[in-house]
Amino acid sequence: MGAPQCSSSFSCTLSIIQAKNVEFKSMGTLFVRYYLSAGNDKRIQLNSREISSRSDLSWNESFSLDCFGTEDTVNDLRQENVVFELRWRNKVPVLGRIRGSQLLARAEIPWKEVFESPNMEMEKWVTMIPTSGRHVHEGIKPPMLQVGMKVQVPAMVEKERRRSGKCRNWDECRCEDCHDPYSGGDYEFLALMATLEAF
């Protein structure tokens, strides 16, 4: 029987900075939708703010998620990808209603790449795979999205305490096998809070 896993909080920050190589045939708004894995085949969906398709295509905003899980949760997160979707919305009402958004391009970034970056943070231009959306001109250069990603994992409790499995109380150690009534070994983290910040 292995040593109990001690729970810990950690945070993930994703920054949507700007896009380029995106051209439009008509007016509307552009936004980025992205998906974070929450384990057990569940995903968290987040949207950036919508900007005019005639603007400079800059968002300069970030989302922070405070999460709760075990070391296994963090290890499993390393195997997941963040999916980014560039979406366009026609703001002209049809029959009095604004229609849903249209997928223009898509890209994925593995969390492993972030964990292996210095200080577990990175900023990069990611090349997106365009769809057959009629609002994007066909061209040599594909759409690109500049994003930032960061993970902050506080230090776990002492290794000796984990190995011994001796916990004085739940508030001090939070070993799920000792005290957590909801522990079942499944990979799932709970997003406690999401905040949106402009640069």
Side-chain angles (χ1 to χ4, degrees), residues 86-158:
L86 193 61
R87 289 182 165 269
W88 179 87
R89 192 189 308 278
N90 187 348
K91 303 302 288 188
V92 178
V94 176
L95 299 177
R97 299 181 61 183
I98 300 295
R99 291 183 294 182
S101 61
Q102 178 182 352
L103 176 63
L104 300 182
R106 187 175 183 274
E108 294 187 19
I109 297 180
W111 277 112
K112 182 179 180 181
E113 188 174 338
V114 184
F115 279 92
E116 295 177 351
S117 300
N119 300 319
M120 292 194 293
E121 62 179 313
M122 55 173 280
E123 183 179 303
K124 65 181 294 185
W125 283 95
V126 56
T127 301
M128 309 194 78
I129 300 174
T131 65
S132 58
R134 61 184 179 181
H135 298 286
V136 180
H137 292 304
E138 295 290 338
I140 298 177
K141 295 182 179 180
M144 297 189 72
L145 182 67
Q146 187 181 18
V147 301
M149 298 173 64
K150 180 178 181 179
V151 176
Q152 290 180 298
V153 182
M156 299 289 186
V157 294
E158 304 170 18

Side-chain angles (χ1 to χ4, degrees), residues 44-126:
I44 298 171
Q45 175 184 304
L46 299 170
N47 292 335
S48 72
R49 62 187 173 88
E50 297 189 16
I51 62 175
S52 170
S53 59
R54 300 299 186 187
S55 70
D56 62 358
L57 304 186
S58 295
W59 288 271
N60 293 325
E61 66 182 33
S62 63
F63 287 86
S64 294
L65 284 171
D66 291 334
C67 311
F68 184 77
T70 66
E71 284 183 281
D72 285 341
T73 302
V74 179
N75 291 333
D76 288 341
L77 181 64
R78 292 170 61 98
Q79 311 305 316
E80 302 290 346
N81 297 334
V82 180
V83 178
F84 296 90
E85 294 181 348
L86 193 61
R87 289 182 165 269
W88 179 87
R89 192 189 308 278
N90 187 348
K91 303 302 288 188
V92 178
V94 176
L95 299 177
R97 299 181 61 183
I98 300 295
R99 291 183 294 182
S101 61
Q102 178 182 352
L103 176 63
L104 300 182
R106 187 175 183 274
E108 294 187 19
I109 297 180
W111 277 112
K112 182 179 180 181
E113 188 174 338
V114 184
F115 279 92
E116 295 177 351
S117 300
N119 300 319
M120 292 194 293
E121 62 179 313
M122 55 173 280
E123 183 179 303
K124 65 181 294 185
W125 283 95
V126 56

